[in-house]
Structure formats: structure tokens, C-alpha cells
Amino acid sequence: MALVYVIASSAWIAVSDLLLRDQGGYAWIGIIKGLLFVAVTGLLLYILLHRMQVRVERSELTLQSTEDRFRWVVEAAPEG
């Protein structure tokens, strides 16, 4: 997901800056500035998504453990 963001944003910045460049030849400054912004925000997005995925995986393991204990209690309980 972060990679899609980086690619799409980079393409948008490069194309839009080239289309709107002035005659002074300073379009590359805007492109570099934009690409640095995309790189930094893309990295932050990747880090945040990775942390969220780790938390989801931990929660799933905890849930599985709880379900296993509950199943054991139910199966061990006498019928009646």
C-alpha cells in the first residue's frame, strides 16, 4: 500500500511539475522537493502500516490462545 502511494505520488509530482514548469528552468527543484516529501511520507506510512500489522497479528495470536483455553474448559467440564 505504501509502495502504491509512493509510485502514484511521485508520478503525479513529476508530471504536474513538468507540465507547469516555468521558463526559468527551476522545475527540477519542485520535483526534487516533491519527491523528498513523497519519500518521507511513504516511509512513515510504511512504518505505521507495519506496526499496525504486527499488532493485528499479536491480537490474532491472543484470540487463538483464548479460544483454545475456552475450548479446553468446555471439553473438560462434566456434562449435565
Side-chain angles (χ1 to χ4, degrees):
M1 183 171 186
L3 183 60
V4 172
Y5 166 78
V6 168
I7 292 170
S9 300
S10 297
W12 170 256
I13 288 169
V15 171
S16 65
D17 279 359
L18 285 174
L19 292 175
L20 299 174
R21 78 174 161 200
D22 58 359
Q23 299 302 327
Y26 295 106
W28 292 107
I29 294 173
I31 291 173
I32 292 170
K33 179 181 60 92
L35 292 176
L36 285 173
F37 173 78
V38 170
V40 169
T41 57
L43 179 62
L44 291 173
L45 182 60
Y46 174 79
I47 291 169
L48 292 172
L49 289 172
H50 179 71
R51 286 183 180 178
M52 186 172 61
Q53 180 64 31
V54 168
R55 288 181 183 165
V56 167
E57 290 172 359
R58 285 183 191 156
S59 295
E60 288 173 347
L61 288 174
T62 301
L63 176 62
Q64 183 63 45
S65 175
T66 302
E67 288 175 345
D68 291 344
R69 285 184 293 180
F70 179 74
R71 187 175 298 110
W72 179 82
V73 167
V74 169
E75 291 173 357
E79 292 185 30

